[in-house]
Every structure is written in C-alpha cells, then in structure tokens.
Amino acid sequence: MSSDLAEPRVYRAGDEQEILDGLNRAHGLKLSLEEWNWAYPPNETGRSAAVVVVDGAIVAHVGGVRSRVHIGGSTSPAMAVLDDFSLLFFTDDLLSC
C-alpha cells in the first residue's frame, strides 16, 4: 500500500474501541474500554485526539489534554500528550501496517 492512502483526521465519537485496540497492540497492554474511558475521560471540550486511517482502519493515534501555554507574553493553545501509538512502518517509499 502506498503512503498516499494514509488519511490523518481528528478523533470521532465511535473511534474509542479501535484506538484502544491499537494502544493495546502497540504497547503490549490489556486495557479494557472501561479502564481507558476512566483514565481518559472526555472533558467539556471533548477529547483531543488525532488518528491516521489506512484502508478504513486506525493505524496511528495521538491523544491528550487541551490546555494553554504562556510564552513570551503570548498565550497559545497547547496539548499535553497522554497516549499515542503507531502501527505504521515506513520502508523506502512504501507504507505498511
């Protein structure tokens, strides 16, 4: 499969189980969906996460907590990363999962 088939997008409600499956696979975990929801509950602004989809499957994810940072007199939006995974492997010009 070619890397132009990879679709980055924001988290959508309903992605939870597939994200959890990827986290468990990538990190050798056995978290249940209930444990993941307890550890990473959505807040008033929702979940902050992005995924990469290849052939309809989530193969990478980054999630965190939205916050703001103050640097040099300016305040900007930020995100503290809490979990991530990638099931992608790049070789030459090809992308494989």
Side-chain angles (χ1 to χ4, degrees):
M1 82 185 59
S2 119
S3 61
D4 61 352
L5 297 176
E7 173 202 351
R9 66 167 173 80
V10 297
Y11 156 88
R12 297 178 189 153
D15 286 343
E16 299 87 354
Q17 186 62 57
E18 200 168 356
I19 290 170
L20 177 63
D21 291 345
L23 283 167
N24 283 337
R25 180 175 167 199
H27 298 295
L29 303 172
K30 294 184 180 181
L31 292 174
S32 70
L33 187 56
E34 293 76 23
E35 290 170 312
W36 186 75
N37 279 317
W38 176 84
Y40 307 111
N43 61 30
E44 64 279 354
T45 59
R47 283 198 161 104
S48 295
V51 298
V52 175
V53 178
V54 174
D55 293 336
I58 294 175
V59 297
H61 162 266
V62 62
V65 174
R66 295 177 191 178
S67 63
R68 299 188 68 71
V69 294
H70 188 75
I71 301 173
S74 178
T75 301
S76 301
M79 182 175 85
V81 174
L82 299 177
D83 61 36
D84 64 357
F85 76 86
S86 176
L87 303 176
L88 301 175
F89 303 96
F90 294 92
T91 57
D92 298 325
D93 293 328
L94 299 177
L95 169 71
S96 60
C97 302

